[in-house]
Amino acid sequence: MVVCAPARYLVFFQYFGTKYSGVMETSSDQSLIGVQNYLEKAVQNLKPVAPVKFHISSRTDTGVHALCNSAHLDIQRAPGKPAFEEKQLVHGLNRHLKPEPIRILNAHRVPSTFHARFSALSRTYIYRLLMGCSHHSEIPVFERDLCWAPGGGYLNVPAMQEAAQFLVGTHDFSTFRSLGSETPFQSPIRTVFQVDIQPSSGFLSHHYEHRGLEFWELKFRSRSFLYRQALLDQTLRPMLLYSTTLSFLRA
């Protein structure tokens, strides 16, 4: 019987990252493991002929969430079985991801030359700030692990917006990365396309408007970022909601 060649798919997925070590695969004996571990366990339940690897476009760290990350994978089915239809793959993966807070959003059949990481045109990270809380215990329960609530007064937004524009363009971001987080051979030069600071809304925030809380989003978009590049203070990273990774990919 004729054996069909593997079919390559681009999948978009999201996850609530609090309980994971990040998106990348880790050894199974760690206390926190990666989102990729669960994705690859789910796809093995679809009975591929060979083990399947998710090639993820964008890395996220421990505790960071993703509205939309992406990856490509190759699936070879048993002889005589056709390649998965796109919706069939989405439903099958989501069925086997339960009860994890990880969901496949959609899937697209792509050529074998496509690569999720190297075909990505840009990536966007969004930091959410909550102002108006004098203590972390005042953060609404529905916003737990989804924002950072610094103490003190309110933001000087015009000054922040003016300063943020100095990050736009092509720069050496050596001073914005953790010590020892990179090999000495990787260039620290990166191009930031966009920095926005805008008011936002909280989950069900209209029910506690009387508290005078303010939500803000700080959005950074670039073709790529350095590993552990901290465009804001490093203490923000474990606390931010939707350090969102969005990939816009070439056809």
Side-chain angles (χ1 to χ4, degrees):
M1 186 171 292
V2 177
V3 177
C4 295
R8 179 163 294 189
Y9 299 89
L10 164 66
V11 296
F12 292 93
F13 59 99
Q14 62 183 196
Y15 47 89
F16 193 87
T18 301
K19 63 177 287 187
Y20 306 117
S21 67
V23 70
M24 305 305 290
E25 181 182 21
T26 61
S27 60
S28 58
D29 59 350
Q30 293 187 1
S31 57
L32 294 178
I33 61 177
V35 172
Q36 185 177 356
N37 295 61
Y38 292 96
L39 292 170
E40 292 179 358
K41 181 180 178 181
V43 77
Q44 288 308 125
N45 286 314
L46 302 182
K47 310 299 183 185
V49 170
V52 176
K53 200 77 175 171
F54 276 72
H55 300 269
I56 298 173
S57 69
S58 305
R59 178 192 298 268
T60 56
D61 292 337
T62 301
V64 175
H65 318 294
L67 284 172
C68 183
N69 206 334
S70 59
H72 79 261
L73 61 154
D74 296 325
I75 304 178
Q76 185 173 6
R77 303 196 72 188
K81 291 192 174 183
F84 286 110
E85 295 181 1
E86 294 162 347
K87 289 185 178 180
Q88 183 185 15
L89 179 61
V90 171
H91 294 157
L93 289 174
N94 282 334
R95 182 172 66 252
H96 293 293
L97 282 167
K98 294 179 180 180
E100 296 298 323
I102 306 169
R103 289 294 175 270
I104 306 298
L105 302 174
N106 48 57
H108 304 278
R109 185 81 179 266
V110 292
S112 60
T113 54
F114 177 89
H115 196 288
R117 178 183 173 190
F118 301 119
S119 297
L121 296 180
S122 70
R123 296 160 173 87
T124 303
Y125 284 83
I126 301 174
Y127 297 80
R128 290 183 74 242
L129 302 182
L130 170 58
M131 307 306 298
C133 295
S134 59
H135 189 268
H136 65 81
S137 63
E138 298 178 6
I139 299 174
V141 67
F142 298 109
E143 293 287 349
R144 182 181 176 183
D145 296 332
L146 303 181
C147 60
W148 185 53
Y154 288 86
L155 303 177
N156 185 340
V157 175
M160 293 176 65
Q161 290 172 330
E162 181 180 358
Q165 297 314 305
F166 287 100
L167 295 173
V168 176
T170 302
H171 307 287
D172 183 334
F173 284 97
S174 294
T175 56
F176 288 82
R177 63 184 181 185
S178 301
L179 290 175
S181 67
E182 293 283 348
T183 67
F185 306 106
Q186 184 168 5
S187 171
I189 306 298
R190 292 292 185 273
T191 300
V192 174
F193 301 142
Q194 175 186 12
V195 180
D196 285 336
I197 302 171
Q198 298 178 335
S200 183
S201 60
F203 181 68
L204 298 175
S205 58
H206 58 285
H207 288 291
Y208 43 87
E209 289 177 344
H210 61 282
R211 294 183 56 187
L213 302 180
E214 288 186 3
F215 291 88
W216 291 86
E217 288 187 358
L218 286 73
K219 178 189 294 186
F220 298 83
R221 185 171 66 89
S222 175
R223 173 68 186 269
S224 63
F225 296 93
L226 296 173
Y227 178 47
R228 293 185 177 177
Q229 180 175 334
L231 288 167
L232 301 179
D233 188 283
Q234 189 70 11
T235 57
L236 274 168
R237 295 191 66 82
M239 301 286 295
L240 56 90
L241 164 71
Y242 304 150
S243 160
T244 313
T245 307
L246 296 173
S247 295
F248 304 92
L249 299 121
R250 300 187 183 98

